[in-house]
């Protein structure tokens, strides 16, 4: 708190001689009244480095303008320096004649030193620092503030601090500053996320903390400002990654569930389909029950298609990867695609034949096309519209693909695409975000895996899927696959199964499902084979060790408890390397037994299979072995 002892108050006559002297003047300047009265005041104007004529100029300026003020280092009688603030006021009588001068000098050395320490601290701060007075005007900034906001220091000093805040936030900033000006004992405000504005008008997120500081002129506010643009970006990336991880975990959990259900469902279907097939083999051609049994077969095969979708979604379907030409594949499907659409939908196909090959599973590629086109047909609803199916080739870089699922990055290089677009009702942002969720639909509950299965297949083929849509403007799905270096083979018409055959020899059936074992046993015995049954791998190996030379064929399930089919197969080959093994599974989409030559087993059956398929496969494997002997 400033007192009179901190102030030197004295008067000068018109010639500059000291005519009065206060007690405070003696304390500040160091001269007693009796030794200073009558002496010229220039003795007190001894600023460091001041020239003698400056005192006369100061009095002249005070006389002409009525007041003159200066601040700087001054010197006491004993030579000690102090920082003084001096005000010289011209004195005049009633007629306006000059009578002399009144002088007040304040010793503000301590406050000056405090300000200097504060200035040095502010300047060395790693963040932008801005001090404002009670009027909200800037009185102090550091070089970090200049760099952060693009202003020069002299442009900010004296300006209202509002220039650093967006117009919409200025009231809130002013409210916070007023709170600290009126409540100086309030502790510093914890930093808050606000918005700041640079000189060029660009805004950025900032972490701003306010700290009240007591000064001789009231409570001022020191603001520390940190540009958190990068932190916000990192937080946004982290939130996005967290969202993706949570979604991936959800998909993974659903995938595990779907895979398990598909496996069990396939075993049930194997029993149903097998028993229906056996009944058809027993009934005469004119039996009225044959039609019902064929309908059971058709329903079972349709259910098997659903399990394929579930396996594709779960990622457990191991595809038969070969070079494929998408245009030819879709051309072969054109009739099937046409009958799958709404009667009011016009199908347009643009399929250039000269298209590079991709590495893919034919059945899974057909499923992608069917799902996307069926989805497009549903988007048209009861309205007339068009669906366009197009293939082509594009070059993609390694950057994230706009509109792709989770902004995925494709492999850089040439890609073949399949594009399906419709003129339907389109999707909003929320619908597009959930489009690949299992069982999500905008029409009715329980529609199925649909696009989720497509996503699983695309990912399994190292592809990416792009979705673009707008309400009222239709929807476009575009799937990209890397170009293959191999050429797609020419079309080869596969031979149909030859029908029931007769066989001989002993077959060991190893499967953990009783229904599957029963159908296999009945089927194989019916065509002349002797059959031994085992409920798991351990029992099967024990039976095989008892008569390894007598068992000519093993029908082995790949997925069983205790021992997996792979482990059983390895042990069978160790006991007798030449044993013929047909592997059966609901997980692997394999339809060419020649693919497995030399890999430990001689053939493959995809569950659920029909009795005629089992008979044909068993006879072909054994006959091939006999021809080689």
């Amino acid at each position: 708190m400033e007192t009179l002892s901190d102030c030197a108050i004295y008067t000068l006559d018109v010639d500059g001689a000291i005519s009065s002297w206060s007690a405070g003047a003696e304390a500040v300047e160091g001269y007693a009244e009796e030794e200073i009265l009558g002496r010229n005041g220039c003795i007190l104007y001894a600023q460091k480095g001041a020239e003698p004529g400056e005192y006369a100029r100061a009095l002249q300026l005070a006389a002409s303008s009525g007041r003159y003020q200066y601040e700087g280092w001054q010197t006491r009688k004993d030579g000690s320096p102090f920082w003084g603030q001096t005000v010289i006021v011209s004195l005049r009588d009633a007629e306006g004649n000059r009578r002399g001068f009144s002088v007040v000098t304040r010793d503000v050395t301590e406050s000056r030193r405090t300000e200097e320490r504060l200035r040095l601290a502010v300047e060395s701060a790693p963040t932008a620092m801005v001090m404002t007075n009670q009027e909200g005007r800037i009185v102090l900034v550091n070089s970090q503030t200049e760099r952060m906001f693009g202003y020069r220091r002299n442009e900010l000093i004296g300006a209202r601090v509002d220039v650093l805040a967006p117009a919409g936030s200025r009231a809130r900033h002013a409210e916070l500053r007023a709170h600290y000006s009126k409540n100086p004992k309030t502790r510093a405000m914890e930093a808050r996320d606000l918005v700041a504005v640079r000189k060029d008008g660009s805004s950025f997120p900032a972490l701003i903390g306010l700290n009240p500081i007591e000064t001789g002129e009231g409570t001022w506010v020191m603001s520390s400002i940190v540009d958190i643009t990068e932190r916000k970006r990192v937080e946004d990336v982290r939130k996005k990654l967290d969202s993706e991880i949570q979604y991936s975990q959800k998909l993974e959990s659903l995938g595990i569930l779907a895979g398990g259900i598909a496996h069990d469902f396939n075993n049930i279907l194997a029993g149903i389909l097998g028993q229906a097939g056996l009944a058809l083999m027993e009934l005469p051609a004119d039996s009225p029950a044959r039609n019902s049994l064929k309908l059971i077969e058709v329903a079972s095969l349709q259910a098997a298609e659903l399990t394929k979708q579930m396996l594709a979604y779960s990622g457990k379907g191991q595809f038969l990867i070969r070079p494929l030409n998408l245009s030819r594949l879709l051309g072969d499907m054109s009739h099937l695609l046409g009958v799958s659409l709404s009667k009011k939908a016009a199908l347009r196909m643009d399929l250039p034949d000269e298209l590079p090959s991709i590495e893919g599973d034919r059945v899974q590629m057909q499923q992608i096309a069917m799902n996307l086109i069926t989805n497009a047909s549903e988007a048209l609803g009861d309205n007339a519209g068009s669906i366009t199916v197009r293939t082509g080739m594009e070059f993609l870089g390694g950057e994230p693909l706009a509109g792709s699922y989770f902004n995925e990055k494709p492999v850089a290089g040439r890609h073949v695409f399949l594009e399906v677009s419709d003129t339907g009702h389109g999707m909003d942002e929320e619908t597009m975000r959930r489009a690949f969720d299992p069982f999500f639909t905008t029409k009715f509950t329980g529609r199925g895996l649909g696009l989720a299965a497509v996503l699983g297949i695309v990912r399994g083929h190292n592809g990416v899927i792009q979705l673009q849509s707008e309400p009222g403007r239709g929807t476009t799905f575009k799937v990209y696959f890397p170009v293959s270096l191999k050429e797609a083979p020419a079309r080869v018409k596969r031979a149909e199964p030859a029908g029931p055959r007769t066989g001989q020899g002993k077959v060991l059936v190893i499967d953990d499902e009783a229904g599957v074992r029963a159908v296999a046993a009945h089927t194989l015995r019916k065509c002349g084979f002797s059959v031994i049954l085992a409920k798991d791998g351990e029992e099967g190996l024990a039976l095989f060790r008892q008569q390894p030379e007598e068992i000519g064929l093993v029908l082995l399930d790949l997925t069983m408890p205790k021992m997996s089919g792979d482990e059983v197969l390895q042990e069978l080959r160790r006991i007798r390397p030449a044993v013929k093994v047909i592997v059966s599974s609901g997980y692997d989409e394999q339809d060419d037994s020649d693919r497995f030559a030399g890999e430990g087993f001689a053939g493959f059956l995809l569950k659920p299979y029909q009795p005629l398929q089992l008979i044909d496969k068993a006879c072909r494997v054994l006959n091939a072995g006999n021809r080689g002997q």
Side-chain angles (χ1 to χ4, degrees):
M1 186 71 181
E2 191 177 283
T3 63
L4 289 176
S5 61
D6 298 321
C7 296
I9 302 174
Y10 55 95
T11 57
L12 306 173
D13 61 20
V14 292
D15 296 321
I18 297 172
S19 55
S20 69
W21 191 254
S22 70
E26 183 175 347
V28 171
E29 301 287 356
Y31 291 92
E33 183 179 16
E34 60 272 14
E35 63 179 327
I36 196 69
L37 289 178
R39 300 181 64 176
N40 194 287
C42 67
I43 193 174
L44 305 176
Y45 195 77
Q47 279 186 285
K48 281 189 173 181
E51 297 178 2
E54 288 188 25
Y55 177 66
R57 284 195 293 272
L59 294 182
Q60 185 179 3
L61 289 170
S64 61
S65 62
R67 176 187 174 89
Y68 178 73
Q69 179 176 334
Y70 66 88
E71 179 177 335
W73 288 105
Q74 300 183 35
T75 305
R76 295 186 178 87
K77 177 184 176 181
D78 61 7
S80 60
F82 70 95
W83 188 270
Q85 292 178 341
T86 299
V87 178
I88 304 174
V89 178
S90 177
L91 300 177
R92 295 180 182 274
D93 58 20
E95 286 77 22
N97 300 315
R98 185 160 55 85
R99 299 290 302 275
F101 303 90
S102 172
V103 183
V104 178
T105 297
R106 293 192 302 162
D107 181 357
V108 292
T109 305
E110 284 306 312
S111 62
R112 171 68 180 179
R113 286 172 178 166
T114 299
E115 289 177 10
E116 184 64 17
R117 286 194 294 269
L118 178 60
R119 188 191 66 79
L120 291 174
V122 169
E123 188 60 37
S124 62
T127 63
M129 304 292 287
V130 178
M131 179 176 278
T132 53
N133 60 19
Q134 289 183 305
E135 297 174 355
R137 295 192 177 277
I138 299 172
V139 296
L140 180 65
V141 297
N142 62 357
S143 55
Q144 288 280 14
T145 304
E146 294 179 286
R147 286 191 287 271
M148 184 177 293
F149 288 91
Y151 287 98
R152 292 181 180 177
R153 199 177 306 238
N154 60 359
E155 293 179 289
L156 290 175
I157 300 300
R160 294 195 63 81
V161 74
D162 289 345
V163 299
L164 305 181
S169 302
R170 288 174 182 174
R172 176 57 178 156
H173 284 241
E175 180 183 331
L176 290 171
R177 290 195 307 273
H179 171 75
Y180 284 101
S181 296
K182 295 175 182 177
N183 303 277
K185 294 185 178 180
T186 305
R187 64 180 182 141
M189 182 190 83
E190 294 182 3
R192 301 184 185 182
D193 286 4
L194 297 171
V195 179
V197 176
R198 301 182 183 91
K199 182 180 179 180
D200 62 10
S202 61
S203 61
F204 62 94
L207 197 64
I208 301 177
L210 302 182
N211 189 32
I213 295 178
E214 282 295 316
T215 71
E217 299 179 30
T219 303
W220 292 1
V221 176
M222 178 67 77
S223 303
S224 62
I225 307 167
V226 180
D227 183 346
I228 56 173
T229 302
E230 181 61 19
R231 194 192 80 177
K232 283 283 189 183
R233 187 192 68 79
V234 172
E235 284 182 356
D236 290 344
V237 171
R238 181 185 58 78
K239 288 178 181 178
K240 182 180 179 183
L241 288 174
D242 286 346
S243 175
E244 291 179 5
I245 290 171
Q246 290 173 8
Y247 192 79
S248 296
Q249 288 173 339
K250 180 177 72 173
L251 293 183
E252 182 180 358
S253 299
L254 288 172
I256 293 171
L257 176 63
I261 291 173
H263 172 257
D264 293 342
F265 195 31
N266 262 335
N267 283 324
I268 295 170
L269 288 174
I272 296 171
L273 194 60
Q275 293 294 351
L278 288 172
L280 283 169
M281 292 169 64
E282 296 286 348
L283 289 174
D286 59 350
S287 172
R290 292 186 67 85
N291 188 55
S292 296
L293 288 170
K294 284 187 175 294
L295 290 175
I296 291 174
E297 276 192 324
V298 171
S300 298
L301 291 173
Q302 289 176 339
E305 288 300 314
L306 176 60
T307 64
K308 290 179 183 178
Q309 288 193 38
M310 296 173 75
L311 289 170
Y313 170 69
S314 70
K316 291 184 178 179
Q318 297 178 8
F319 311 136
L320 177 56
I321 303 299
R322 289 176 172 175
L324 295 174
N325 183 302
L326 270 184
S327 290
R328 295 177 199 165
L329 182 144
L330 291 167
D332 292 342
M333 295 175 63
S334 58
H335 176 70
L336 178 62
L337 295 175
V339 299
S340 302
L341 301 182
S342 163
K343 298 296 183 182
K344 295 184 178 181
L347 179 62
R348 301 169 183 170
M349 303 186 78
D350 179 11
L351 309 173
D353 191 62
E354 298 301 320
L355 195 66
S357 300
I358 64 168
E359 297 283 336
D361 177 273
R362 185 178 185 85
V363 175
Q364 300 293 340
M365 291 297 110
Q366 290 172 336
Q367 185 175 333
I368 287 178
M370 283 297 298
N371 282 19
L372 290 180
I373 293 171
T374 302
N375 191 74
S377 180
E378 291 179 357
L380 296 178
D382 296 328
N383 301 319
S386 63
I387 299 172
T388 302
V389 180
R390 191 167 68 94
T391 58
M393 195 272 290
E394 289 183 13
F395 182 88
L396 300 180
E399 301 81 15
L401 193 63
S404 64
Y405 186 72
F406 274 148
N407 215 26
E408 292 173 307
K409 294 181 180 179
V411 178
R414 294 190 305 156
H415 287 69
V416 170
F417 67 80
L418 163 62
E419 181 181 273
V420 178
S421 58
D422 64 69
T423 57
H425 49 69
M427 307 182 200
D428 57 22
E429 289 289 338
E430 175 64 16
T431 304
M432 284 195 289
R433 188 181 65 80
R434 299 188 59 196
F436 296 97
D437 285 4
F439 303 103
F440 173 73
T441 176
T442 57
K443 305 190 82 169
F444 51 85
T445 303
R447 177 166 165 257
L449 290 170
L451 293 176
V454 170
L455 178 62
I457 296 171
V458 171
R459 285 180 162 178
H461 285 77
N462 298 316
V464 293
I465 185 166
Q466 185 182 46
L467 168 59
Q468 294 178 326
S469 187
E470 187 177 336
R473 303 293 294 272
T475 300
T476 298
F477 286 94
K478 201 168 186 179
V479 185
Y480 292 89
F481 299 103
V483 166
S484 171
L485 299 178
K486 302 176 183 177
E487 287 295 326
R491 294 184 179 95
V492 177
K493 187 174 180 180
R494 292 183 57 89
E496 294 296 324
R501 300 181 183 182
T502 59
Q504 58 181 356
K506 189 172 292 186
V507 179
L508 171 61
V509 177
I510 307 175
D511 199 299
D512 62 318
E513 288 293 326
V516 176
R517 292 196 304 271
V519 169
H522 193 157
T523 301
L524 293 169
R525 286 170 182 156
K526 186 173 181 61
C527 65
F529 290 103
S530 173
V531 182
I532 307 171
L533 301 178
K535 65 180 181 298
D536 57 44
E538 291 181 354
E539 184 179 356
L541 288 173
L543 291 171
F544 187 75
R545 289 190 184 98
Q546 293 173 11
Q547 40 190 325
E549 299 301 326
E550 297 178 27
I551 296 175
L553 178 65
V554 178
L555 178 60
L556 174 65
D557 182 27
L558 273 182
T559 307
M560 295 183 294
K562 296 184 180 179
M563 291 183 70
S564 69
D566 293 338
E567 294 172 326
V568 175
L569 178 61
Q570 292 177 12
E571 186 62 18
L572 289 172
R573 300 285 291 178
R574 191 190 66 78
I575 298 170
R576 181 183 161 203
V579 64
K580 300 293 182 182
V581 180
I582 296 175
V583 169
S584 175
S585 173
Y587 284 149
D588 299 326
E589 180 64 47
Q590 312 284 4
D591 60 1
D592 188 356
S593 61
D594 294 338
R595 170 181 167 84
F596 304 105
E599 295 185 15
F601 50 101
F604 183 89
L605 276 173
L606 175 66
K607 289 183 178 180
Y609 50 80
Q610 296 170 285
L612 290 180
Q613 291 174 310
L614 172 58
I615 293 170
D616 181 70
K617 184 72 71 173
C619 290
R620 282 199 290 137
V621 168
L622 286 174
N623 288 339
N626 292 333
R627 286 196 302 269
Q629 290 178 350

